[in-house]
Each structure stands twice: as C-alpha cells, then as structure tokens.
Amino acid sequence: QVQLVESGGGSVQVGGSLRLSCAASGNIYSINHMGWYRQAPGKQRDLVAIHITGGRTYYDDSVKGRFAISRDNAKNTVYLQMNSLKPEDTAVYYCLADLILPGLTSTSSVYWGQGTQVTVSS
C-alpha cells in the first residue's frame, strides 16, 4: 500500500518559519515529481511548489523568495521550508507525488498525503 505521510505543520506567528516533510513509502518503482498544494477553508486546492526529478523546481508567485522545496531521493522524501510566513499562508498543506509502480512502468499515478494544518496568526 502506497502512503505519503506528512509532518511538520503547526501554528506560528507572522514572520515565523515551519518545515514540512512528506515521506513516500510502499511498493514504488520510481518517483517523478513531488510537490506541495494547499487548501484554505472554502477554497480550491492550489499548487504551492513542485520538485521535478532532475532538479527543476516551480513556485507559485505568492511564495517565491519565502518558501523552498527540496527533495531527498534516497529517502523518498520532499520538504517545504516556509519562512516569513503570512496569515494568508494559513491552510491545510497536502503533499503530492507522481509515482510509477512496479509492473506499470509506462504509467504514473498521483498520490496525496493526509494533509497537515499550517496556521499563521497576526
């Protein structure tokens, strides 16, 4: 059973920092991209940052210069370092991984973590 387990969420003051982590486990052949989405109450789930195998990264304009995504391929883990946090960063953060499973090497599938709450207070 493939799992993405997230940790690192919490509550911080404006300007504070948090570091999220997400570890993929299970019967995985390889991982394409891994990234982070977030969803505020009543809102759609929006892309925050993504890390592509090979090192390319993408950040939403709202977090550029404040957030940094990194990946440890040996541990199948992706991190999101969040600095200079703002109230508008408050959301549930979801890890995403595009995975290739054994026996299905020509096809990848998207899996989601359970979500971790980030709350930034004024």
Side-chain angles (χ1 to χ4, degrees), residues 1-5 21-36 49-56 69-79 95-102 104-113:
Q1 187 77 25
V2 173
Q3 286 187 288
L4 301 181
V5 179
S21 64
C22 173
S25 64
N27 194 14
I28 300 169
Y29 178 77
S30 66
I31 302 176
N32 290 330
H33 58 270
M34 298 186 75
W36 294 92
I50 192 164
H51 187 288
I52 308 298
T53 299
R56 290 190 298 163
I69 189 169
S70 60
R71 183 169 164 180
D72 185 336
N73 291 323
K75 297 180 179 179
N76 288 342
T77 299
V78 65
Y79 305 92
C95 175
L96 174 146
D98 189 44
L99 307 177
I100 298 174
L101 305 183
L104 297 170
T105 55
S106 64
T107 303
S108 64
S109 299
V110 171
Y111 291 83
W112 293 93

Side-chain angles (χ1 to χ4, degrees), residues 11-17 83-89 119-122:
S11 298
V12 296
Q13 296 282 310
V14 169
S17 297
N83 300 321
S84 301
L85 283 161
K86 304 174 180 179
E88 52 262 44
D89 295 319
T119 301
V120 185
S121 59
S122 301

